[in-house]
């Protein structure tokens, strides 16, 4: 069921968006060559506790998960792109890292992800990251009253295809509200003018993710982490946004923190 939020409810969602933005900015700044993924998760735990927020991940156990997630952040490195379960791995020079974080504040959820390279970046990784960021910007631009979900999907895919990347539609954006995953599903490819009409009050997480040379995933033996089938690297950019009468409102915007 698709739920629409009143302007007052969207205002109530702002603290969750701001908290998720601040956590991602903090963790990104702290993550460098030599950082262990378990340290990132521990730091995220501390930030959640300090803020009195609630993790959306720790007890999360959907049909595709082997067991409850047990951690509070997804850390996906290199050929891992989605749902990376933090484990004992120390980041090396040139690693491509995705941090995906969702939390609930005052009963409202926000969900956001960022990809970046620690140490010396490879050009092809920067191009991949730039493409998911541009696809997210295009998705947000398309999230206006009068458009449909398919317009967002088509905008994402056009950016990917323009750079020669293919698109997987198994995992994509989703409604966000009292819980992390709701309707509608927002695939990263689709037909303009099709799908659910975007109305003021719709709150969705938009999340383009692409792999360098494939669109096929395999699940890691940990039961969660999704990797490219061919070992190529992945990037993922996500924001929670509200469709409003005044245009899209990015609830998890980090720009006010002076970071991207
Ligand atoms: Mg999401």
């Amino acid at each position: 069921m698709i739920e629409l939020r009143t302007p007052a409810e969207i205002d109530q969602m702002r603290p969750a968006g701001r908290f998720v933005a601040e956590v991602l900015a903090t963790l990104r700044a702290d993550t460098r060559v030599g950082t262990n993924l378990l340290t990132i998760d521990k730091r995220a735990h501390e930030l959640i506790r300090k803020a009195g927020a609630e993790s959306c991940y720790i007890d999360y156990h959907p049909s595709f998960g082997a067991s409850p997630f047990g951690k509070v952040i997804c850390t996906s490195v290199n050929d891992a792109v989605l749902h990376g379960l933090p484990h004992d791995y120390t980041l090396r020079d040139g690693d491509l890292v995705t941090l995906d974080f969702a939390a609930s504040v005052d009963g409202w959820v926000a969900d956001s992800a960022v990809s970046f390279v620690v140490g010396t970046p490879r050009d092809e990784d920067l191009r991949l990251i730039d493409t998911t960021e541009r696809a997210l910007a295009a998705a947000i631009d398309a999230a206006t009253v009068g458009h449909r979900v398919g317009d967002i999907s088509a905008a994402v895919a056009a950016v990917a295809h323009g750079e020669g990347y293919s698109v997987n539609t198994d995992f994509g954006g989703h409604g966000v509200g009292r819980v992390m995953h709701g309707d509608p599903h927002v695939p990263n490819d689709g037909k303009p003018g099709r799908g659910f009409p975007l109305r003021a009050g719709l709150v969705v997480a938009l999340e383009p993710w692409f792999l360098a040379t494939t669109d096929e995933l395999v699940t890691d033996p940990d039961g969660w982490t999704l990797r490219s089938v061919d070992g190529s690297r992945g990037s993922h950019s996500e924001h929670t946004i509200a469709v409003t009468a005044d245009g899209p409102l990015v609830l998890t915007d980090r720009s006010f923190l002076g970071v991207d």
Side-chain angles (χ1 to χ4, degrees), residues 46-58:
E46 289 165 4
L47 294 167
I48 287 171
R49 200 177 310 124
K50 211 169 112 190
E54 269 182 58
S55 171
C56 297
Y57 289 169
I58 196 155

Side-chain angles (χ1 to χ4, degrees), residues 100 111 172 174 180-181 205 207 236 238:
D100 188 349
D111 186 5
H174 49 91
M180 178 168 58
H181 285 148
E207 48 179 318
H236 178 199
E238 176 177 17

Side-chain angles (χ1 to χ4, degrees), residues 16-225:
R18 186 183 177 101
F19 173 68
V20 166
E22 286 172 344
V23 169
L24 278 185
T26 301
L27 296 177
R28 179 182 181 163
D30 286 353
T31 300
R32 50 182 68 99
V33 175
T35 301
N36 192 287
L37 302 183
L38 294 175
T39 306
I40 301 172
D41 181 65
K42 191 167 166 244
R43 183 88 173 103
H45 261 285
E46 289 165 4
L47 294 167
I48 287 171
R49 200 177 310 124
K50 211 169 112 190
E54 269 182 58
S55 171
C56 297
Y57 289 169
I58 196 155
D59 298 322
Y60 190 57
H61 190 184
S63 56
F64 57 80
S67 56
F69 192 70
K71 304 289 183 190
V72 298
I73 190 164
C74 293
T75 56
S76 304
V77 181
N78 296 337
D79 62 327
V81 66
L82 297 176
H83 308 161
L85 185 65
H87 60 286
D88 182 13
Y89 174 81
T90 299
L91 292 170
R92 299 174 188 160
D93 187 45
D95 278 347
L96 197 174
V97 184
T98 299
L99 302 179
D100 188 349
F101 183 71
S104 171
V105 175
D106 303 331
W108 294 103
V109 170
D111 186 5
S112 184
V114 62
S115 291
F116 55 95
V117 175
V118 292
T120 318
R122 309 189 308 184
D123 286 346
E124 63 258 46
D125 291 342
L126 295 180
R127 186 170 75 92
L128 185 63
I129 293 168
D130 178 66
T131 305
T132 57
E133 288 178 351
R134 285 193 295 114
L136 177 56
I140 294 168
D141 283 347
T144 54
V145 174
H147 277 169
R148 288 173 178 261
V149 164
D151 293 299
I152 296 175
S153 305
V156 168
V159 174
H161 295 154
E163 291 291 334
Y165 300 121
S166 52
V167 176
N168 173 306
T169 52
D170 292 342
F171 296 93
H174 49 91
V176 174
R178 296 286 187 184
V179 295
M180 178 168 58
H181 285 148
D183 293 327
H185 175 55
V186 186
N188 286 326
D189 195 359
K191 290 192 164 57
R194 300 278 185 88
F196 181 77
L198 304 181
R199 299 197 178 102
L202 183 70
V203 180
V204 283
L206 303 176
E207 48 179 318
W209 60 273
F210 311 127
L211 300 163
T213 54
T214 183
D215 58 13
E216 278 186 67
L217 295 168
V218 287
T219 306
D220 207 68
D222 69 16
W224 281 98
T225 306

